[in-house]
DNA sequence: GGAAGATTGTTGTTGACGACAACAATTGTT
DNA sequence: AACAATTGTTGTCGTCAACAACAATCTTCC
């Protein structure tokens, strides 16, 4: 083992870790993953956690989470959609979209307009402040995307998008 | 101005609308995602949902979920680990691992052995039936992995694993 | 025209999951 | 011995996916 093992834990203590030589304690980076390596799902899960955390942190100043951002961009690009249409397009349950829209409507970013044609459904629109806010969100999201590039590389990010294009 | 009906979704859009007066609903595939396309996080999220659903379905007959599988494989490959070590290695909170191990121990797949060296910690081991069960889980997980290959292609799966290798 | 069935939005529940906080028991430090 | 840190545990909170049930409304079919 190399003497300069990079510590991945965030313990602030400069002291040596607990543990004795008798019962051999594993260091974090010498624990094998065995079958987990080679499973795409595991890598994707870890990556998704990282990417969501960076997104949430980067857009933390405006208080927008990934799902909220996706709802806003779809409404912004397709004004007048019904809740069902948005839910289907984004793969969100319509029950869940209700709460998401409640929050966004409370923040005056989105408005539900009762449809004349189908009085069951609501036509979704961005408010005027919602439009300007979304523009700012997009700038921050682009900044987040640059973080992704720094993390995995510009070319790899492009490969990733191409590989997963079928899921959007 | 709108030509025919007084709809609420008047806007500049590349999307084509049906000319009839009836309330034409959007088809799912003609709703634009706008800025969402080009965001790695969105594609990764959708892919992760798909891959987890397939994993859960493929391992449904044995009732093993992705997180449980990851815990079992790590313990199987590194017997005697403490709960902290497993939690750190997999990026799981130790509070959450408690419940996971409770469930796995109740199913007689894992056992907690009180460590002599450090009486605070437990050494984690697979039981004998746990070993044979894990072997079956691995076969099913390999089947799931073949589904991934069918979905995105064998070469793309390899590219994906290489791109995201740093997150495992 | 009217009954039957489907759709839309809503409310509610369940369970998995990540993030924290607090605690007792134990260990290490000073 | 006094103090700080670690380990496992319990608990709470919020996000999210998956269902189920419901009223209001549309569509279909007879």
């Amino acid at each position: 083992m190399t003497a300069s093992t990079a510590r991945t834990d965030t313990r602030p203590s400069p002291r040596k870790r607990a543990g004795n030589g008798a019962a051999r304690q594993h260091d974090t980076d010498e624990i094998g993953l065995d079958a987990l390596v080679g499973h795409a799902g595991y890598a994707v899960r870890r990556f998704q956690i990282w990417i969501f955390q960076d997104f949430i942190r980067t857009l933390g100043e405006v208080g927008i989470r990934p799902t909220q951002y996706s709802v806003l961009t779809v409404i912004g690009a397709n004004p007048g959609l019904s809740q069902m249409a948005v839910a289907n397009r984004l793969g969100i349950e319509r029950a869940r979209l209700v709460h998401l829209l409640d929050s966004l409507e409370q923040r005056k970013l989105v408005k539900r307009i009762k449809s004349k044609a189908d009085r069951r459904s609501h036509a979704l629109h961005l408010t005027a402040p919602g439009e300007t806010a979304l523009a700012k969100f997009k700038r921050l999201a682009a900044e987040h995307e640059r973080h992704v590039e720094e993390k995995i590389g510009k070319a790899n990010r492009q490969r990733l998008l191409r590989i997963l294009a079928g899921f959007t």
Side-chain angles (χ1 to χ4, degrees), chain A residues 5-11 27-30 46:
Chain A
T5 50
R7 306 294 290 274
T8 52
D9 55 341
T10 57
R11 252 178 291 115
D27 270 346
T28 301
D29 48 343
E30 62 177 85
R46 298 295 297 255

Side-chain angles (χ1 to χ4, degrees), chain A residues 54 58 61 138-148:
Chain A
D54 185 86
T58 306
E61 54 181 283
K138 286 183 180 177
R139 284 197 301 274
L140 290 170
E143 184 183 331
H144 153 71
E145 213 62 29
R146 284 194 293 275
H147 299 166
V148 177

Side-chain angles (χ1 to χ4, degrees), chain A residues 122-134:
Chain A
H122 295 156
L124 301 176
H125 293 269
L126 295 183
T127 63
E131 300 266 12
T132 62
L134 179 54

